[in-house]
Amino acid sequence: MKIHEYQAKEILREHGVPVPQGEVANTLEEALEVAKRLMLGGATGVVVKAQIHAGGRGKGGGVKVARTLDEAETYASQILGMQLVTHQTGPSGQRVQRLLIEETAAIDRELYLGIVLDRAQSRLVFMASQAGGMEIEEVAAKDPDAIRKVSIDPAVGFQPYQARELAFALGLKPTQLAAAVKFMRGLYDVFVATDATLLEINPFITTKDDKLLALDCKLTFDDNAMFRQKGLKELRDLAEEDPLEVEASKFALNYIKLDGNIACMVNGAGLAMATMDIIQYAGGSPANFLDVGGGANQQQIENAFSILLSDKNVQAVFINIFGGILRVDTLAQGVVQAAKNLDVQVPIVLRLEGTNVEEGRQILKDSGLAFEVGDTMLDAAQKVVAAAARRTGISTGAAH
Ligand code: GDP
Ligand code: MN
């Protein structure tokens, strides 16, 4: 689960990690009130920051430094409501519905700090780099030595000597060392306390008067830990998520939207992966990843169908099921029911194996509906790719 920068900074503040003074604003009026308060409190300027669940806002025009209240008003009215496009939002961008208004910081150096789980080592890794303010993925690709990493033994946690090692790698001054150790310790505490999967401070800055500040913060939580993080659950902002994915999560369906035109309905994540691969192999492109789960019932199949068909890009549906706990006849009944109830217009291709497969095939045949059934997974994939291509040809009128 992702949260906004202003929410992440609130959590940092609670754990004693220094962040700039600031407040979130939902309207232009609120933004101006906050700006006024900060200026009256002695700020020499304010930063107007778009709050969306994506990075790269600075380059996209979503972060502006204002020196006067007039400038703050200009920037706030420009950014609030804009469709902000960054390298992480996709070409259609994300609408800005909130702003974070903060006092400006007198930046001396822009650095990077991050904590991630290294799955290969089963340990958290704390990273530091002098190349802050840039895309860290680019730094990692071009100059991996510019990132210093320490791996944390879960039995003893993050140690002060490790924080000092990172502080030295960042080239911090001896006078900044104690504050840096405390700062990093605070980040580690946040990570553990919130069951995070990623915490990034980019940039982590030193100021002209030698202070340390988290100027930006990205914090992502482990969805599987939300059952014991009731307070954090409330930070979820559904407006930032894909509406179909939100709908699917209400039905406990594991759905992720992709940009192809062949919808997939599958039971099991491994089979979902294999299905996406074989669609690509047959020359097509998957519209989604949808796992109905091992124990899905008829209603769940119908829910899944309605989600798949709400995606306007879908030109064909590929149902690839291995009947285990979910028996093939149950699935077939669900599919027939859904196709009738939802008045499905796109072709449906199935590949069925497992428990009660013969009964399942019979149900499809008896339904009087036009399903195509593949003999093998590859055969079915080829059929669905061909079906989607035929429809795309029709809908675009591309005959030559
Ligand atoms: P991102 O582009 O989404 O990662 O947003 P950031 O919060 O990292 O802001 C982008 C850039 O704006 C930072 O790397 C800074 O260079 C700049 N910036 C942000 N806040 C301030 C500030 O208070 N003062 C100044 N001078 N620049 C800032
Ligand atoms: Mn940033």
Side-chain angles (χ1 to χ4, degrees):
M1 184 184 123
K2 292 180 182 172
I3 58 170
H4 287 293
E5 174 195 6
Y6 78 92
Q7 296 168 320
K9 281 179 165 169
E10 197 55 51
I11 297 173
L12 293 187
R13 204 176 271 135
E14 285 163 15
H15 284 82
V17 178
V19 296
Q21 293 269 358
E23 279 176 58
V24 68
N26 296 296
T27 62
L28 186 58
E29 291 71 40
E30 279 176 29
L32 288 178
E33 272 171 41
V34 177
K36 231 177 253 171
R37 248 198 315 275
L38 292 171
M39 296 283 217
L40 284 174
T44 52
V46 295
V47 194
V48 180
K49 306 187 78 174
Q51 297 297 287
I52 58 167
H53 284 188
R57 295 163 302 165
K59 275 189 201 150
V63 178
K64 294 266 167 73
V65 177
R67 293 289 158 212
T68 63
L69 275 179
D70 277 352
E71 266 180 29
E73 179 165 12
T74 308
Y75 293 141
S77 60
Q78 270 170 15
I79 297 174
L80 196 62
M82 84 185 276
Q83 203 68 23
L84 180 54
V85 179
T86 80
H87 67 284
Q88 288 184 3
T89 59
S92 57
Q94 183 69 27
R95 213 173 88 84
V96 180
Q97 310 198 14
R98 294 161 205 216
L99 300 173
L100 173 61
I101 311 292
E102 275 184 350
E103 64 176 346
T104 48
I107 301 177
D108 185 26
R109 302 177 63 208
E110 294 199 34
L111 309 166
Y112 171 93
L113 287 175
I115 308 176
V116 284
L117 174 64
D118 179 342
R119 288 168 199 276
Q121 286 192 66
S122 308
R123 286 182 173 200
L124 298 181
V125 172
F126 209 130
M127 302 178 289
S129 175
Q130 300 203 16
M134 312 179 208
E135 275 164 52
I136 199 69
E137 293 82 359
E138 223 168 87
V139 178
K142 284 192 190 140
D143 187 12
D145 291 342
I147 304 173
R148 179 69 68 99
K149 298 176 185 169
V150 300
S151 146
I152 302 169
D153 182 341
V156 295
F158 185 53
Q159 296 293 303
Y161 81 88
Q162 296 183 302
R164 285 194 293 273
E165 179 182 334
L166 295 175
F168 289 131
L170 290 174
L172 295 180
K173 299 176 187 168
T175 48
Q176 293 168 325
L177 206 57
V181 171
K182 188 164 172 278
F183 193 105
M184 290 184 218
R185 176 73 213 186
L187 295 184
Y188 176 74
D189 289 344
V190 166
F191 195 99
V192 173
T194 61
D195 285 308
T197 53
L198 172 75
L199 171 60
E200 272 188 318
I201 308 297
N202 191 18
F204 161 54
I205 63 154
T206 63
T207 63
K208 303 254 195 275
D209 55 353
D210 279 350
K211 294 220 170 59
L212 306 176
L213 270 181
L215 215 57
D216 187 12
C217 180
K218 179 171 180 178
L219 181 57
T220 310
F221 306 131
D222 184 349
D223 291 337
N224 292 316
M226 284 301 113
F227 73 95
R228 62 178 189 193
Q229 295 285 0
K230 302 272 188 294
L232 297 181
K233 238 178 173 166
E234 285 158 25
L235 302 180
R236 190 166 170 198
D237 182 354
L238 295 179
E240 291 289 323
E241 298 179 28
D242 182 273
L244 281 181
E245 290 182 10
V246 173
E247 186 72 9
S249 71
K250 285 187 202 150
F251 299 132
L253 291 166
N254 197 351
Y255 170 86
I256 292 162
K257 189 176 157 20
L258 303 170
D259 46 19
N261 64 1
I262 298 172
C264 309
M265 192 195 296
V266 171
N267 62 335
L271 189 56
M273 297 293 207
T275 303
M276 294 193 299
D277 280 352
I278 206 153
I279 288 174
Q280 302 261 13
Y281 181 72
S285 171
N288 69 282
F289 171 113
L290 183 127
D291 174 9
V292 294
N297 55 25
Q298 219 168 299
Q299 184 57 49
Q300 192 71 339
I301 303 290
E302 199 168 324
N303 294 339
F305 245 102
S306 73
I307 298 275
L308 292 182
L309 296 172
S310 313
D311 177 352
K312 297 283 166 284
N313 294 333
V314 167
Q315 298 293 347
V317 179
F318 184 13
I319 302 179
N320 188 3
I321 299 284
F322 188 87
I325 301 169
L326 168 64
R327 301 194 321 254
V328 177
D329 54 330
T330 307
L331 169 94
Q333 268 157 5
V335 170
V336 169
Q337 212 52 53
K340 285 182 177 160
N341 293 348
L342 302 167
D343 185 27
V344 177
Q345 300 291 331
V346 295
I348 300 173
V349 180
L350 300 97
R351 174 265 181 176
L352 306 168
E353 286 301 341
T355 313
N356 294 356
V357 64
E358 288 314 321
E359 289 87 334
R361 292 207 165 129
Q362 198 57 45
I363 290 166
L364 294 179
K365 251 186 221 143
D366 295 346
S367 72
L369 298 167
F371 297 109
E372 265 191 280
V373 180
D375 293 330
T376 61
M377 200 154 132
L378 180 59
D379 180 45
Q382 285 163 342
K383 284 191 161 108
V384 77
V385 170
R390 275 197 302 277
R391 270 186 64 87
T392 316
I394 294 164
S395 63
T396 60
H400 29 215

